[in-house]
Amino acid sequence: MGMARPHRAGLATLLGLLALAACATHPPAAGPTAPPKPVPVAVAVPADAAALVAADDQFGLDLLTAPDLPKDGNLAISPASVAIALQMVATGARGTTATQLASVLHLPNAASAATSAQALLSGLRDAEQDHRNTLRVANTVWTQRGLPVLPAFSDTLRTRFASALHTIDFARDPDGARQRVNSTVAGQTNGLIPQLFPAGTLDDSTRLVLTNAIYLAASWATAFPQDKTAPGPFTKADGSVSNVPMMHSDDPSAELPAAFGYATGPGYQVVTLPYVGGKLAFTVLLPNTTSLTPVLDALRDKGLPAVLKDVKPTRVALAMPKFTVHTDLDLSATLAALGMPAAFGGGADFTGITTAEHLQIQTVRHDAVVHVDEHGTTAAAATGVGIQATAGIALLPVNVNHPFLFVITDTATGAPLFLGRVTDPS
């Protein structure tokens, strides 16, 4: 895979436009006929964090459209989670293995992974420390007891990735070790990801497991009135129709309708819903027909920042389905096909981790859950890498009543925490 084309404006820049809490929680004083205030310019983001977020952007689209992942049905992934887990791995890769990992992650080289990740994780702390919502990001590394891990590798994980380091005995009790890893991830995700590694995915040849877990519980800046939720038609890609619970934002009792972010593009609409505090945002990418092609084409051609660049505060009468999407994936074959096969084979070079044994990636597991209702969003994602020894004024109506994409972002860094598609909310 070639190196990524640089985005004209990093997602960190464009998602500053999505910090709409001021529009939602402090409406214009002139009353319901006052025009929405202009969209604020983006917050300043460190260049290394902005570059990493732009890379995560492209990596997320690669995953969403990967040929070997399901083409139909609901799908949720966390580009940030998968990328952070692989960035930890990349710090211990060398040679062709490191080059391929960097290319898949759209980084200039594997050595840049730690510095960029540190800047991104530091940027996310602002949202993590905002007690109006809950955002937790946890990195954990488990090494085989007695394996001489190079100090430079463990120090980088501790200082750059804020990773907790544990020793465990995969060799003597692989299933007990697997259950301990799963239990830790379950705690980090409030029980939403109870079993990241299914039985049999780790064994006595496992020497190292690196995990990233992200948990989000966020309330809308303006909640959907529960008494407005009612069954409504949702047309699927095949033309069939399901009746699903549809939430409605146009509350006639409100003095001023909520200001969402809104933009249009060739064949699609964009609607952004801020969470309380404005540090997180949920964006719907809605094609004008039941086909997701216009949105996917726009993302491929222009990138997410360009698709979102015209988003402006707008009074929208939004109808959107409640939904829960749960995706459980083995990304090993997907990542190999995207351009990093060396990491999974006998020629893998992880001599930056240890020189005591020859290592290769055994499995890459990813699990993501996103639940959206009238109050807000609860979501969790976890990624685990097992490494083994080789052997407007008027209300604008927007009805999200057919397949759409969604992205949940941290507005300070623009990090794509969750990305997915909904083709059948029932």
Side-chain angles (χ1 to χ4, degrees), residues 116-390:
S116 296
Q118 182 182 24
L120 175 60
L121 291 168
S122 177
L124 289 173
R125 289 195 194 108
D126 189 38
E128 287 183 288
Q129 293 169 1
D130 185 344
H131 299 300
R132 288 168 290 187
N133 297 303
T134 299
L135 174 65
R136 292 198 299 266
V137 183
N139 297 321
T140 311
V141 178
W142 310 79
T143 61
Q144 170 62 38
R145 186 171 299 146
L147 180 71
V149 175
L150 295 176
F153 179 69
S154 57
D155 288 347
T156 297
L157 295 181
R158 184 181 298 107
T159 60
R160 301 295 183 89
F161 291 89
S163 177
L165 304 175
H166 304 279
T167 58
I168 201 168
D169 201 340
F170 295 104
R172 293 188 179 183
D173 185 12
D175 198 58
R178 179 186 67 85
Q179 292 180 39
R180 184 178 168 192
V181 172
N182 284 342
S183 177
T184 297
V185 172
Q188 292 167 340
T189 59
N190 268 30
L192 290 181
I193 312 290
Q195 184 172 252
L196 177 60
F197 288 98
T201 52
L202 304 178
D203 56 31
D204 58 8
S205 70
T206 304
R207 292 294 176 267
L208 191 74
V209 169
L210 305 96
T211 63
N212 168 271
I214 297 177
Y215 175 75
L216 168 70
S219 301
W220 303 124
T222 301
F224 290 85
Q226 282 189 285
D227 60 358
K228 286 285 185 178
T229 299
F234 186 95
T235 304
K236 295 179 280 189
D238 62 4
S240 61
V241 178
S242 296
N243 275 332
V244 301
M246 296 291 286
M247 305 181 294
H248 296 268
S249 68
D250 52 335
D251 183 359
S253 66
E255 181 182 354
L256 182 70
F260 297 111
Y262 182 79
T264 61
Y268 63 85
Q269 301 177 82
V270 181
V271 182
T272 293
L273 293 74
Y275 295 105
V276 65
K279 297 182 186 299
L280 299 162
F282 179 99
T283 297
V284 173
L285 305 168
L286 179 69
N288 293 345
T289 69
T290 59
S291 171
L292 292 172
T293 298
V295 176
L296 292 172
D297 285 347
L299 292 176
R300 289 190 190 97
D301 294 343
K302 300 188 293 186
L304 186 57
V307 170
L308 297 177
K309 71 181 177 63
D310 293 325
V311 166
K312 290 179 171 57
T314 305
R315 295 169 191 167
V316 174
L318 179 64
M320 186 174 75
K322 298 170 61 170
F323 67 87
T324 298
V325 177
H326 181 199
T327 302
D328 182 5
L329 299 168
D330 182 341
L331 291 176
S332 304
T334 301
L335 293 168
L338 286 176
M340 48 175 280
F344 296 90
D349 186 350
F350 288 109
T351 52
I353 298 177
T354 184
T355 57
E357 293 191 67
H358 186 271
L359 303 178
Q360 68 182 44
I361 294 181
Q362 179 179 20
T363 185
V364 180
R365 304 290 311 182
H366 184 62
D367 204 334
V369 180
V370 178
H371 174 73
V372 171
D373 63 17
E374 295 90 348
H375 305 290
T377 302
T378 304
T383 305
V385 181
I387 298 180
Q388 67 182 158
T390 302

Side-chain angles (χ1 to χ4, degrees), residues 95-117:
T96 299
T97 305
T99 301
Q100 291 182 356
L101 266 163
S103 179
V104 167
L105 291 169
H106 297 274
L107 296 175
N109 52 63
S112 66
T115 302
S116 296

